[in-house]
Amino acid sequence: MSVALDITLCALVLGVGWATVAGHGVFRAVIFFITYGLLLAIVWARLGAYDVALAEAAISAGLTGVLLLAAHGRLRRLNASQEVPLHLNLPAAVVAVGIAAGLGWAWFALPAPTAPDLSQALPQSGVGNPVTAVLLNFRAWDTLLESVILLAALLGLWMLARDHAWDKPLGLPYHARPGGVLASFGRVLPPIGLIFGVYLVWAGADTTGGAFQGGTVLAAVCLVTIMAGVLHAPRVEQAAWRAALVLGPGVFVLSGIAGAVFAQGFLALPPALAKPAIVTIEAALTVSIAVTLVLLVIGPPDEGEQDA
Amino acid sequence: MADLATYLLTGLGLVFFIAGTVGLVRFPDQFSRLHALTKGDNLGLGFIALGVAFQAESWAQLAMLALIWVLALLAAGTVAQLVARAALTEQDKP
């Protein structure tokens, strides 16, 4: 019975993946991509990787979906072509097939890695969730650089702003009828979403969850309130929002330097202090991730007049 | 007894899902398609949640199932309204 389910899931993932790439219009491709993300999340859950499943559903299907839909909306307003050219892009196909073949060869040629036994190191990490232990203690480098990459992506996006729009609110203005369906949704959802987002971060120390998943949920809540017209979109110059952007990477780097001075090395956490340090870093990271994702989705400062 | 209720209710939920999907594919215009989709899915999810509830081991699990259903209802209802409104304005435009 479960084998049949797995085979169906695999077929669905492959079929929807193919439909995403081979579709005719941009909108179709976006919708298939979101479906693809949700199916992948189910696959991860079937494999028992609940942390990855949550991240896949929240970031890949949810947030990236909103990003792509917003991009599609902008394209449509500019009257850009919605047709995806159907002819084969030969250089891209050669590169893609080459990479796939190389990865396939490596999969069979390389010896299976012997993962270090986490169960012995886990008690020293300060947390009970092995994923969080790896992300914030054993391989903190990767996570630190990831948080900086998010920030760099946002700076790259802001570079697209026109000079005279720099002090305008971020993104295009959103309209919602006061007292309408979207406006009430923007008031009903946030309390539940806030609790769930903070819970995901807090629970991430010992069970499924973490800064990225929780941050994405908080970002989604913030986006809904902005789109519903309950909150105003921030401006680039507002110091509090900028501080929120650098809080996570800042706290992370400072704790890394503290590790270099007082412990064995950069980003090293002494076992006695590991738990409070990880919770502090995760809390700061969550704020930065949430704010960065919100600002990435609503886009660069824009007066929005040329679209009218 | 609990297993039988689960089979019956989740089966009923699946019927609603299938009916909603058939409506989505077969109905002629956007509004009736939307109606089929949201009504079928909301009832389908409700019956599946109710069916799974018979397997719950604690009140907390029951509460979570109920919360999932209520949140899905809220989201589906809101999105259906917004899609319908967008379709209406699109209709009036040309």
Side-chain angles (χ1 to χ4, degrees), chain A:
Chain A
M1 199 51 203
S2 62
V3 175
L5 179 63
D6 288 343
I7 291 174
T8 316
L9 264 180
C10 286
L12 273 174
V13 167
L14 285 177
V16 172
W18 172 255
T20 309
V21 184
H24 287 268
V26 173
F27 187 68
R28 265 177 72 129
V30 172
I31 297 300
F32 272 120
F33 180 79
I34 296 172
T35 318
Y36 176 76
L38 289 175
L39 283 171
L40 267 192
I42 300 176
V43 170
W44 284 118
R46 288 280 304 156
L47 290 171
Y50 299 110
D51 289 86
V52 190
L54 261 182
E56 179 74 34
I59 300 174
S60 174
L63 214 83
T64 317
V66 176
L67 260 181
L68 291 174
L69 282 176
H72 169 257
R74 274 178 191 251
L75 278 179
R76 208 173 54 173
R77 252 177 266 120
L78 295 171
N79 288 322
S81 164
Q82 296 289 310
E83 284 298 304
V84 179
L86 268 183
H87 66 84
L88 188 66
N89 185 340
L90 200 64
V94 169
V95 171
V97 169
I99 290 176
L103 283 176
W105 172 80
W107 170 266
F108 287 110
L110 294 178
T114 47
D117 190 6
L118 258 184
S119 56
Q120 284 181 1
L122 196 57
Q124 276 147 37
S125 72
V127 289
N129 180 0
V131 178
T132 305
V134 170
L135 282 183
L136 283 155
N137 199 339
F138 304 139
R139 302 277 299 168
W141 255 116
D142 295 359
T143 314
L144 174 62
L145 292 181
E146 273 166 23
S147 67
V148 176
I149 285 174
L150 266 182
L151 198 56
L154 181 68
L155 292 182
L157 183 77
W158 280 359
M159 291 300 114
L160 297 174
R162 293 183 179 81
D163 269 348
H164 61 265
W166 188 246
D167 54 352
K168 299 279 190 300
L170 292 173
L172 298 170
Y174 289 99
H175 306 287
R177 275 181 326 124
V181 178
L182 187 57
S184 352
F185 190 65
R187 291 177 192 280
V188 172
L189 191 71
I192 307 167
L194 282 176
I195 291 175
F196 184 54
V198 172
Y199 168 78
L200 271 180
V201 181
W202 178 250
D206 290 312
T207 62
T208 302
F212 276 89
Q213 293 91 334
T216 314
V217 171
L218 294 178
V221 168
C222 192
L223 278 171
V224 166
T225 52
I226 289 176
M227 288 176 179
V230 180
L231 277 185
H232 291 294
R235 295 163 194 268
V236 173
E237 295 135 338
Q238 285 174 325
W241 288 87
R242 290 198 195 192
L245 285 176
V246 293
L247 180 69
V251 167
F252 214 154
V253 168
L254 283 181
S255 85
I257 294 172
V261 176
F262 300 110
Q264 296 97 325
F266 186 60
L267 287 173
L269 296 174
L273 283 176
K275 170 92 188 216
I278 286 180
V279 171
T280 311
I281 295 171
E282 280 224 293
L285 264 187
T286 309
V287 173
S288 293
I289 290 169
V291 173
T292 314
L293 292 179
V294 168
L295 300 189
L296 272 176
V297 170
I298 59 180
D302 197 335
E303 72 268 73
E305 278 160 15
Q306 72 272 24
D307 303 307

Side-chain angles (χ1 to χ4, degrees), chain B residues 18-28 32-33 36-37:
Chain B
I18 292 169
T21 311
V22 170
L24 176 71
V25 179
R26 300 279 300 173
F27 277 172
S32 39
R33 278 203 291 267
L37 187 68

